[in-house]
């Protein structure tokens, strides 16, 4: 009886090809077949490392029938590597269903870890990294995206999103509208020639990208809420903005801090609070 094969989940670089691991190269060289999100894309990677292997496609729209074929090959004794276009397969990439199918069929699965854009961005964010929520891509539909962000409004952990350049400006505006003016680290083109990490407030991010066309790949790392759900129902919110600020001044804060705290309580930009104080 033939032994069943193993599925290797192999991470590939997110830009810089030198980020491939020694183990990834070894596995890609020794498996019988590589299941790739885009075979042409992976062929370039294999050519770079002078690896010749049969490739088969495995992506979102063929995962049902291709998964069954891959499982059949594994059961027949083939060792197969799963790769995506960049980074760690299964994470905002095809593979989740295949992993479940392998587990159902008692097929061994081995991870070959490596680059992941979300984790790389977190390490550079200068935000709290002890606990975080990885959200991946928000919905492309405006109403659904807004609903998703509303659900995250009181999340205290750092939030990590993937975003496409053509949607970045709108997403930043939606975030600012729903979350108020929080800190954000916009991580662009990580490990590539034009790697850039912009650490600023959502308000500043919106201004920056009004002047600069978003180009390349982005991870957005956003600070979590400083307010628990329900805190927005505080009696302070029944007061006028002026009384709200004065309450904090009378409690001993200077005017600047009182305005900052008032803005945070109300989930409003500081400049709106300043404006109300001047009027
Ligand atoms: N599985 C991949 C991983 O482990 O990071 C993510 C795949 S997901 C389809 C692609 C998204 O990841 C991009 O739209 C972008 O948000 C993010 N991304 C991938 N490579 C990146 C890079 N070099 N710099 C910044 N973001 C990147």
């Amino acid at each position: 009886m033939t032994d069943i094969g193993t599925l290797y989940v192999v991470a590939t670089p997110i830009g810089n090809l030198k980020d491939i691991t020694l183990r990834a190269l070894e596995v890609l060289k020794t498996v019988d077949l590589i299941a790739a999100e885009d075979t042409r894309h992976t062929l370039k990677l294999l050519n770079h490392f002078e690896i010749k292997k049969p490739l088969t496609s495995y992506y979102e729209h063929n995962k049902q029938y291709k998964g069954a074929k891959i499982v059949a090959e594994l059961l027949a004794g083939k060792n197969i590597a799963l790769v995506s276009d960049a980074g760690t397969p299964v994470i905002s990439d095809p593979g989740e269903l295949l992993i479940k199918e392998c587990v159902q069929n008692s097929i061994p699965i081995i991870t070959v870890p490596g680059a992941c854009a979300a984790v790389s961005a977190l390490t550079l964010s200068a935000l709290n990294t002890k606990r975080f929520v990885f959200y991946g891509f928000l919905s492309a539909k405006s109403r659904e995206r807004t609903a998703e962000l509303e659900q995250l409004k009181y999340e205290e952990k750092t939030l990590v999103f993937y975003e496409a350049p053509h949607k970045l400006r709108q997403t930043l505006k939606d975030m600012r509208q729903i979350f108020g003016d929080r800190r954000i680290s916009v991580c662009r083109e990580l490990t590539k020639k034009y790697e850039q990490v912009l650490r600023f407030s959502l308000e500043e991010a919106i201004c920056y990208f009004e002047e600069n066309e978003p180009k390349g790949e982005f991870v957005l790392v956003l600070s979590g809420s400083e307010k628990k759900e329900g805190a927005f129902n505080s009696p302070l919110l029944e007061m006028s903005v002026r009384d709200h600020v004065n309450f904090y001044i009378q409690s001993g804060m200077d005017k600047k801090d009182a305005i900052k705290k008032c803005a945070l309580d109300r989930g409003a930009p500081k400049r709106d609070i300043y404006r109300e104080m001047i009027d």
Side-chain angles (χ1 to χ4, degrees):
M1 211 180 93
T2 350
D3 285 340
I4 61 174
T6 296
L7 179 76
Y8 293 88
V9 182
V10 181
T12 56
I14 56 169
N16 190 327
L17 293 183
K18 289 182 185 157
D19 292 334
I20 192 104
T21 68
L22 293 174
R23 196 159 158 242
L25 290 175
E26 187 183 278
V27 168
L28 293 174
K29 277 180 194 158
T30 52
V31 288
D32 302 300
L33 178 67
I34 299 172
E37 184 182 5
D38 179 339
T39 51
R40 285 163 309 176
H41 189 96
T42 299
L43 189 59
K44 285 186 201 151
L45 180 82
L46 297 181
N47 286 342
H48 180 85
F49 291 107
E50 298 176 351
I51 299 172
K52 287 196 187 352
K53 275 293 151 187
L55 284 160
T56 191
S57 67
Y58 180 82
Y59 53 88
E60 191 53 32
H61 299 292
N62 75 0
K63 66 182 180 191
Q64 299 288 350
Y65 95 94
K66 251 320 175 47
K69 282 188 80 168
I70 292 169
V71 165
E73 304 236 43
L74 286 159
L75 290 172
K78 280 195 178 170
N79 290 318
I80 301 180
L82 173 70
V83 298
S84 60
D85 285 353
T88 302
V90 191
I91 304 303
S92 295
D93 264 341
E96 185 181 307
L97 183 63
L98 184 61
I99 302 298
K100 288 178 182 165
E101 288 166 336
C102 285
V103 169
Q104 277 159 12
N105 286 279
S106 304
I107 295 166
I109 314 166
I110 287 181
T111 184
V112 183
C116 176
V119 175
S120 305
L122 263 168
T123 62
L124 301 177
S125 68
L127 295 172
N128 294 341
T129 53
K130 202 168 187 174
R131 294 189 177 83
F132 62 90
V133 172
F134 171 67
Y135 199 85
F137 290 102
L138 288 158
S139 171
K141 295 187 188 133
S142 168
R143 271 177 95 178
E144 285 172 26
R145 188 169 60 245
T146 306
E148 288 173 339
L149 291 172
E150 283 287 354
Q151 277 195 343
L152 295 168
K153 186 168 175 174
Y154 303 106
E155 177 55 66
E156 292 168 67
K157 301 177 195 82
T158 298
L159 299 162
V160 185
F161 301 90
Y162 286 159
E163 192 49 290
H166 64 282
K167 290 195 280 163
L168 183 78
R169 285 173 169 152
Q170 190 55 48
T171 296
L172 291 173
K173 285 181 190 157
D174 290 346
M175 286 177 167
R176 155 65 183 74
Q177 172 77 21
I178 291 163
F179 297 143
D181 198 15
R182 296 199 193 160
R183 300 298 301 169
I184 186 166
S185 295
V186 179
C187 304
R188 174 177 167 259
E189 294 286 272
L190 296 174
T191 77
K192 302 187 198 176
K193 188 173 176 193
Y194 296 107
E195 171 170 319
Q196 187 181 32
V197 182
L198 298 157
R199 301 174 188 89
F200 36 30
S201 70
L202 275 170
E203 196 70 33
E204 288 163 337
I206 291 166
C207 293
Y208 178 88
F209 286 107
E210 262 160 25
E211 308 276 306
N212 300 277
E213 174 83 20
K215 284 188 195 140
E217 299 198 276
F218 289 90
V219 183
L220 307 179
V221 187
L222 189 71
S223 63
S225 169
E226 288 181 21
K227 283 271 160 210
K228 286 193 181 12
E229 187 163 4
F232 283 87
N233 297 328
S234 148
L236 291 172
L237 301 187
E238 305 292 314
M239 296 178 179
S240 68
V241 167
R242 191 178 288 273
D243 287 348
H244 190 164
V245 172
N246 283 335
F247 168 84
Y248 284 127
I249 292 172
Q250 278 156 21
S251 321
M253 278 188 194
D254 66 27
K255 193 171 173 188
K256 199 169 155 224
D257 284 344
I259 286 173
K260 200 169 153 191
K261 183 82 175 71
C262 175
L264 191 68
D265 290 350
R266 290 174 180 253
K270 269 186 293 185
R271 57 152 200 248
D272 288 1
I273 308 296
Y274 272 111
R275 205 176 294 134
E276 293 251 7
M277 296 299 288
I278 292 162
D279 289 344

